[in-house]
């Protein structure tokens, strides 16, 4: 914990002790999902958007063909 406030550290320490005595926490998580992004500053945004939409199917097929980790 990157804090130097003694009262905060004492409060968190007490809370951790209470939680531990009560059985602790249990957590689970969904599998990770990656979302790709591509950013650019096209000179003609409307034309760039139209080109991307025209090729959307091919772009998605190529992206989905990549191996997943």
């Amino acid at each position: 914990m990157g804090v130097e406030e003694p009262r905060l550290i004492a409060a968190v320490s007490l809370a951790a002790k209470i939680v531990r005595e009560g059985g602790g926490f249990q957590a689970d998580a969904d599998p990770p999902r990656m979302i790709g992004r591509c950013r650019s500053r096209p000179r003609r945004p409307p034309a760039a958007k139209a080109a991307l939409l025209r090729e959307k199917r091919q772009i998605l097929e190529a992206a989905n063909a990549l191996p997943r980790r």
Side-chain angles (χ1 to χ4, degrees):
M1 181 179 268
V3 200
E4 295 180 9
E5 176 62 43
R7 288 177 290 188
L8 180 59
I9 294 172
V12 171
S13 179
L14 176 61
K17 181 180 178 186
I18 293 168
V19 168
R20 184 180 59 223
E21 290 172 356
F25 291 115
Q26 192 169 5
D28 62 352
D30 294 335
R33 291 178 32 187
M34 291 184 13
I35 298 174
R37 270 190 200 178
C38 178
R39 295 186 74 184
S40 68
R41 293 178 185 236
R43 291 184 183 153
R44 297 177 310 174
K49 181 179 178 180
L52 285 171
L53 291 175
R54 229 181 4 261
E55 303 296 327
K56 180 179 178 178
R57 185 178 55 79
Q58 292 89 339
I59 293 169
L60 288 174
E61 285 175 2
N64 288 329
L66 295 172
R68 298 179 188 253
R69 293 182 182 195

